[in-house]
Amino acid sequence: MAEWSNWSGRLHAKPARVASLSSEAEVVDAVRSAANSGLRMRVVGAAHSHAPLVPTEGVVFDLAGLSGLVSVDPAAGTARVHAGTRIADLGVPLRAEGVALLNQGDIDRQAIAGAVATGTHGTGEKLRNLSAGVMGARLILADGSRVDCSAENEPELFQAARLNLGALGVITELTLAVRPAYRLQEKIWLEDVDTVLDRLDELAAATRHFEFFWMPGRPRTACKSLAETDADPVYPLAEEGERRAWSDEVLANERNDKHSEMEYTVPREDGPACFRALREMLARDFPDLAWPVEYRTLAEDDVWLSTAYQRPGATLSVHQGVDQPDEPLFRACEALFAQFAGRPHWGKVHYRTGPELAALHPKWDDWWQVRDAWDPAGRFLNAHLEALRPANH
Ligand SMILES: Cc1cc2nc3c(=O)[nH]c(=O)nc-3n(C[C@H](O)[C@H](O)[C@H](O)COP(=O)(O)OP(=O)(O)OC[C@H]3O[C@@H](n4cnc5c(N)ncnc54)[C@H](O)[C@@H]3O)c2cc1C
């Protein structure tokens, strides 16, 4: 038996074993061997999820060794990457080919397949999450067979695989949308939070990326914008807030204080009202909270389980230190987000049931039908996902 824990140290598991795999052939062998032993399988990326997606009593596959850029097709605007590649390891090789990812989240420590699996996103009113940038995926299924899916080939599997929760098979390679490499100028400033809420549309439209971090109880908030620029990068790199460099050098930040997090995406137009309601609730019920609320925008997409499926979103995240009790806080926040038809981030804390998620995600049943068709024995499920599975499946 092995020991496993996630980045924050909040989640623990005792899988039968953790297998480090560094080639597709090794993945095929490991999947066949686990299936022959009757063991369930989960893949781990960089273990940065707060939701219990990885814990299993079966086998955990670690694909950190299956890393690197495979190829770039500048005409198609796509790049093929090995699934275990850390996002941090993509910037330089992509730039060497003259391209870059369309967007990134707050950090770049995740494995690309791990980030895609949960709909990881950055900010930008016209920018979609990483799953929406998936143009193709290669999977090793529960019987060890290999399938390449895209909008043209096995389109339903492709739709489910773009945001897959690790539940369809082992992804060994992804084809991602890229764009010509670009530079960003970063700016951080303090502004009265109500003024920011009142002029949010204007601020979000003014630059490619805009977000704000608000400390509970404070009248002002830290605003952050990133604007595209042709100006030369400034090296050595400045502190967060003053950087001007290539997109991958500016988009990623250090977030090393261990915390757990809940994040919901609400309809874009409800974002300010939701934030104000959250501010009131936190002041009343959690006056000692010392972690920020992060507010971002997310463009609408067509990814089946995306939190921005067919609706532009505002995302609100609430954090708590790992040494603090977080459940009362997160449950209170979740009740509030639910009033705004919020959809929970798949990689962060939530307590929603399958029927509740079905009501929030129009393609919930389709996703499960495809999942179950490609993995009928449920080899790629764990207890967390099993609890969400529709009863009629
Ligand atoms: C400090 C911090 C900052 C964060 N910032 C952001 C942010 O800005 N925006 C945002 O949206 N989220 C953010 N997150 C959440 C994070 O991006 C997601 O939880 C993401 O899924 C973590 O990626 P990972 O590589 O660690 O995957 P893991 O947490 O290890 O796994 C996530 C899922 O991916 C699956 N998986 C991984 N690799 C494969 C594979 N090869 N084949 C099949 N399935 C696979 C796993 O089975 C699991 O279901 C942050 C988290 C932390 C801790």
Side-chain angles (χ1 to χ4, degrees):
M1 200 176 286
E3 299 277 343
W4 178 89
S5 64
N6 74 332
W7 169 84
S8 70
R10 276 287 205 172
L11 299 174
H12 296 270
K14 290 187 189 298
R17 57 179 182 272
V18 177
S20 296
L21 308 172
S22 49
S23 71
E24 204 166 280
E26 284 181 19
V27 172
V28 171
D29 284 350
V31 167
R32 287 201 175 124
S33 147
N36 288 340
S37 316
L39 291 171
R40 281 184 155 179
M41 302 164 256
R42 297 294 293 161
V43 188
V44 66
H48 273 54
S49 291
H50 304 284
L53 290 166
V54 175
T56 177
E57 289 166 5
V59 191
V60 172
F61 297 141
D62 182 341
L63 267 59
L66 190 55
S67 172
L69 177 63
V70 180
S71 62
V72 170
D73 182 341
T78 56
R80 286 170 54 206
V81 301
H82 289 303
T85 317
R86 283 2 190 199
I87 293 174
D89 296 331
L90 276 175
V92 172
L94 285 177
R95 247 190 287 141
E97 301 289 331
V99 296
L101 293 178
L102 307 181
N103 201 6
Q104 294 179 204
D106 270 346
I107 57 159
D108 59 8
R109 306 295 168 90
Q110 307 96 326
I112 187 66
V116 158
T118 63
T120 292
H121 62 91
T123 190
E125 64 160 10
K126 297 199 177 107
L127 300 172
R128 304 182 304 165
N129 64 24
L130 284 167
S131 305
V134 172
M135 311 305 285
R138 173 172 293 178
L139 287 114
I140 306 301
L141 304 170
D143 63 359
S145 62
R146 186 176 90 177
V147 57
D148 286 294
C149 63
S150 65
E152 292 75 38
N153 191 42
E154 301 294 359
E156 296 219 311
L157 176 64
F158 170 66
Q159 284 303 340
R162 289 166 94 193
L163 198 164
N164 57 72
L165 306 178
L168 293 165
V170 183
I171 297 204
T172 56
E173 195 179 298
L174 289 164
T175 303
L176 302 171
V178 291
R179 55 154 286 176
Y182 57 107
R183 297 172 197 155
L184 293 169
Q185 170 74 58
E186 184 178 54
K187 193 177 149 200
I188 290 185
W189 71 97
L190 284 174
E191 190 166 332
D192 173 74
V193 69
D194 282 297
T195 312
V196 170
L197 293 171
D198 289 344
R199 64 189 202 99
L200 207 50
D201 290 347
E202 173 201 330
L203 286 164
T207 48
R208 191 171 190 270
H209 313 258
F210 173 80
E211 66 183 306
F212 70 83
F213 289 88
W214 172 75
M215 270 297 185
R218 304 267 174 89
R220 293 197 300 170
T221 186
C223 297
K224 176 164 160 176
S225 71
L226 298 169
E228 258 189 275
T229 177
D230 290 330
D232 287 337
V234 179
Y235 296 111
L237 290 181
E239 293 291 305
E240 183 180 347
E242 297 161 7
R243 295 171 290 186
R244 185 172 81 218
W246 294 101
S247 59
D248 56 288
E249 296 171 318
V250 177
L251 286 167
N253 307 291
E254 294 292 332
R255 301 276 184 260
N256 295 324
D257 294 333
K258 292 287 165 70
H259 59 267
S260 52
E261 182 176 346
M262 168 174 280
E263 179 190 296
Y264 266 72
T265 306
V266 301
R268 176 83 56 82
E269 64 276 13
D270 295 335
C274 181
F275 177 87
R276 286 188 163 107
L278 181 66
R279 176 175 62 177
E280 196 182 315
M281 187 276 285
L282 292 177
R284 188 186 61 232
D285 298 337
F286 300 93
D288 298 330
L289 181 63
W291 286 76
V293 174
E294 185 178 13
Y295 188 109
R296 296 183 272 189
T297 52
L298 184 58
E300 168 181 357
D301 62 46
D302 61 353
V303 177
W304 280 4
L305 288 194
S306 169
T307 63
Y309 180 76
Q310 293 187 342
R311 83 180 194 202
T315 73
L316 291 90
S317 335
V318 187
H319 308 74
Q320 181 58 288
V322 279
D323 51 349
Q324 303 286 318
D326 57 19
E327 190 167 339
L329 168 72
F330 289 154
R331 285 201 180 270
C333 293
E334 183 159 83
L336 190 144
F337 292 137
Q339 290 170 25
F340 291 86
R343 294 170 175 158
H345 190 303
W346 293 109
K348 302 186 183 180
V349 177
H350 74 83
Y351 308 102
R352 306 310 289 270
T353 63
E356 287 172 339
L357 292 166
L360 293 168
H361 288 280
K363 289 290 187 181
W364 180 250
D365 256 4
D366 303 68
W367 187 89
W368 277 98
Q369 267 171 27
V370 171
R371 201 224 70 80
D372 287 352
W374 289 87
D375 175 26
R379 293 262 176 247
F380 284 100
L381 293 177
N382 68 356
H384 173 64
L385 293 169
E386 194 77 69
L388 301 178
R389 192 183 204 173
N392 56 348
H393 280 243

